Amino acid sequence: MRIRTYGGRTVPVVALVASTLALSGCGQDDAEAPKAAPGTTAQSTARPAVPEGARIGAPGSACDMPVTFTLAESWKPKAVTVAPDNPLAELARRGPLTMVCEIDAKPAGNIGFLRVWTGAGDQLRPSLEAFVGTDAHEPTYTELRIGDRPALEVVYQEKSQLDDEMEPERVFAVQIPQGIAAVSLDSFGSDEHTAMLPAYELAKSSLRQRDP
């Protein structure tokens, strides 16, 4: 397996593919900004660190989405645009959902992302089951209400591609008039997962359907 050093730690290249599929760079230095893969569209230029309390999702923000939520301090968002004819497009799709925004934890001192996914559908459980796939170990589903709308969260474990250790994963999905919106916490290891949980919980507690 090919590996590389990222932020002072060694991670599998395959774990970084979704990031390089990106999507638009936001808030990174020119030397660090990933280049958009063929078939994707860069939508924004470098921006300063996002202050705590900023909301993402509204028109004019880094990611134009059907939902909005509050960002943790310094996390940097970038919009994701996937061309249908791009052979790498499937890397930005999981089950019925397609990635529309990627929020990088690196400026806040962690290695990982919050990723926002949207798609058609009116059944949360089948959509999340397809999203986590057959490699999910011990998935636990919890019904919620987020922003006064039906929601579902799944917490599970998945085997690391680097060392075969089991690592925690989680994602929540909410029903919206346009279909389903989901937010996943994608980290590189258990310690990073724990450190990034407050940002995930902030997104979950503050998520609202965007005003028309």
Side-chain angles (χ1 to χ4, degrees):
M1 176 183 298
R2 295 171 56 203
I3 58 177
R4 62 168 291 186
T5 299
Y6 182 80
R9 305 185 187 186
T10 302
V11 296
V13 169
V14 66
L16 302 174
V17 171
S19 179
T20 60
L21 182 62
L23 321 175
S24 58
C26 176
Q28 294 178 314
D29 294 335
D30 291 342
E32 296 180 348
K35 298 186 188 310
T40 64
T41 302
Q43 296 182 340
S44 61
T45 58
R47 299 183 183 180
V50 177
E52 185 176 8
R55 289 189 72 83
I56 189 70
S61 66
C63 299
D64 187 351
M65 306 182 295
V67 295
T68 70
F69 57 83
T70 302
L71 291 175
E73 185 176 3
S74 295
W75 286 57
K76 294 186 180 179
K78 58 187 176 185
V80 174
T81 300
V82 183
D85 58 349
N86 182 0
L88 297 179
E90 289 304 313
L91 296 174
R93 297 193 182 101
R94 295 180 62 177
L97 305 179
T98 299
M99 194 192 312
V100 295
C101 187
E102 185 177 72
I103 306 168
D104 191 357
K106 185 172 65 172
N110 298 109
I111 301 175
F113 302 91
L114 288 181
R115 291 182 169 118
V116 185
W117 312 71
T118 61
D122 57 4
Q123 299 185 59
L124 294 174
R125 179 67 178 255
S127 295
L128 277 189
E129 287 177 343
F131 181 91
V132 303
T134 57
D135 291 332
H137 292 258
E138 302 178 349
T140 300
Y141 292 85
T142 303
E143 293 185 356
L144 308 167
R145 289 196 72 83
I146 297 176
D148 294 327
R149 305 200 68 83
L152 187 68
E153 182 175 41
V154 58
V155 177
Y156 61 103
Q157 296 185 66
E158 194 166 83
K159 186 177 292 187
S160 168
Q161 297 169 317
L162 179 62
D163 54 17
D164 286 339
E165 292 290 328
M166 299 302 294
E167 296 183 347
E169 305 285 349
R170 64 183 61 211
V171 55
F172 70 84
V174 61
Q175 192 74 57
I176 56 175
Q178 299 91 331
I180 294 172
V183 177
S184 64
L185 172 55
D186 299 322
S187 57
F188 295 119
S190 297
D191 291 344
E192 295 290 347
H193 185 92
T194 299
M196 293 162 57
L197 265 178
Y200 170 89
E201 293 294 340
L202 177 61
K204 184 168 65 175
S205 64
S206 63
L207 186 140
R208 298 291 183 271
Q209 179 186 336
R210 198 181 79 184
D211 293 334

